[in-house]
Amino acid sequence: MKRGHFLTEQRNSASTNLDALPLGKAFDVVNQQDRKVAIAVRRAKPQIVAAIQAVVRSWKSGGRLIYVGAGTSGRLGVLDASECPPTFRSDPKMVQGIIAGGRKALWRSIEGAEDDMGAAEAAIRRMKVGPCDCVMGIATGGSTPFVHAALTEARDRGAATIFLACVPKSQFRARCDVDIRILTGPEVLSGSTRMKAGTATKLVLNTITTLGMIQLGKAYGNLMVDLNSYACRKLTDRAARVVASVTGRSYKGALKLLSQARGKAKTAMVMDALGLSRSAAEQLLKRHHGMLRIALSARREHSSEIA
């Protein structure tokens, strides 16, 4: 397939003499192009919002978000999946990534893996993808066979499907439920989609999982309240500061309360606000599907549980 007409393969007129520019000028060219990425993402807002809604529906049904990609796209999907558990205290199964070529491709490029449609279909089958799941294919250049084969297999198995590319639909179409196109334009280094297209992909994936998790009650205002406070010292400190900020306790007092709540910031805040035991606070949060704001407003409703 000839791909020279694809948007991501075209030459960028701003960088035609890139190799001859002084280093400072070359930096300016790259930086000016990078500034266009957020604008391109903004233009795809309706599709990104629709993707978040599809993902949340899957999660609420007990399903998963599964990213599929090759090269940079695959690595970014795996990266986003790996960052969700420590940030949101989510089950690692909720967000997963499939990369063409398998784990070895995370560290070294495996040429030809992106063309292996059979491997993509096998990966979807191996993960037992079903109607509750949401599969998101990432192919910034639009045409990656591995990604399209995975989406087709996922659709056949009843899963919701999302596609992300940085070329217009007129250049390559996809069969999916939600079609996101981030038109970042020609790269500074022609065809190097690890640059603007890769940056756009990271922005979109961050937005999908962050706003999606918030719909499940993983934040209070703009504070992480479901982070894994036992993961490392940094997260212990952050959790303590979050608890202190919401409850008005001192840092040491917040640490003590967090310990009583077995490291769970949301539980600690409900315990403090409503005077509940840890088990009662956890039951209340469960009753309100983990939504801290709703649980905290339930003071009168559950006044009989106050210790």
Side-chain angles (χ1 to χ4, degrees):
M1 175 193 298
K2 291 185 178 181
R3 304 178 70 257
H5 65 290
F6 282 17
L7 188 60
T8 52
E9 295 291 332
Q10 294 170 14
R11 293 189 68 184
N12 191 320
S13 60
S15 60
T16 52
N17 61 339
L18 187 63
D19 66 319
L21 292 175
L23 185 57
K25 292 288 186 181
F27 172 89
D28 290 340
V29 171
V30 173
N31 186 247
Q32 287 290 340
Q33 291 296 307
D34 283 345
R35 293 182 185 184
K36 299 179 180 182
V37 176
I39 296 172
V41 172
R42 168 70 185 184
R43 289 173 179 154
K45 174 185 173 181
Q47 292 75 35
I48 295 171
V49 169
I52 296 169
Q53 292 169 334
V55 170
V56 172
R57 282 195 297 271
S58 288
W59 285 340
K60 287 184 174 180
S61 299
R64 303 160 291 177
L65 166 60
I66 301 171
Y67 293 124
V68 181
T72 298
S73 297
R75 294 183 192 101
L76 288 173
V78 172
L79 173 65
D80 192 64
S82 69
E83 290 177 341
C84 287
T87 305
F88 302 112
R89 206 184 187 101
S90 57
D91 187 325
K93 294 179 181 178
M94 282 181 65
V95 186
Q96 300 183 48
I98 296 173
I99 182 170
R103 291 189 177 184
K104 291 182 179 179
L106 292 172
W107 292 275
R108 178 178 297 180
S109 177
I110 299 180
E111 303 301 335
E114 68 177 60
D115 297 326
D116 194 340
M117 299 172 69
E121 294 163 354
I124 294 296
R125 291 195 296 269
R126 188 164 54 250
M127 294 186 72
K128 298 181 180 179
V129 169
C132 290
D133 296 315
C134 184
V135 176
M136 180 169 176
I138 311 166
T140 53
S143 63
T144 309
F146 185 93
V147 170
H148 288 283
L151 287 177
T152 297
E153 181 68 21
R155 281 176 61 87
D156 289 347
R157 298 173 72 88
T161 51
I162 304 167
F163 182 62
L164 169 62
C166 294
V167 299
K169 294 179 183 179
S170 60
Q171 293 185 347
F172 205 97
R173 296 192 175 277
R175 291 181 64 247
C176 58
D177 298 308
V178 181
D179 197 337
I180 304 171
R181 304 295 174 130
I182 312 295
L183 304 184
T184 49
E187 297 287 1
V188 168
L189 186 63
S190 300
S192 183
T193 51
R194 59 184 286 271
M195 300 187 75
K196 287 191 297 182
T199 300
T201 298
K202 184 71 167 69
L203 290 178
V204 173
L205 303 193
N206 281 351
T207 300
I208 288 174
T209 48
T210 299
L211 295 184
M213 289 290 182
I214 288 173
Q215 298 300 302
L216 300 184
K218 300 292 186 177
Y220 181 70
N222 62 353
L223 298 173
M224 291 184 195
V225 291
D226 244 346
L227 72 171
N228 184 355
S229 62
Y230 287 162
C232 62
R233 292 178 182 177
K234 177 186 72 176
L235 293 182
T236 300
D237 169 70
R238 184 178 298 158
R241 287 185 285 107
V242 165
V243 171
S245 173
V246 174
T247 64
R249 292 198 177 207
S250 66
Y251 183 82
K252 287 186 177 179
L255 278 174
K256 182 178 179 180
L257 183 60
L258 198 59
S259 176
Q260 293 170 349
R262 296 185 179 176
K264 298 179 180 179
K266 282 201 297 192
T267 301
M269 286 181 271
V270 172
M271 288 169 62
D272 181 81
L274 303 182
L276 299 178
S277 66
R278 178 183 56 79
S279 60
E282 289 180 347
Q283 289 172 13
L284 179 59
L285 281 165
K286 184 177 181 180
R287 195 175 304 152
H288 293 288
H289 309 289
M291 305 300 289
L292 178 60
R293 188 174 296 277
I294 297 175
L296 289 177
S297 69
R299 183 186 299 270
R300 291 183 179 177
E301 178 185 349
H302 300 284
S303 60
S304 61
E305 296 179 81
I306 297 177

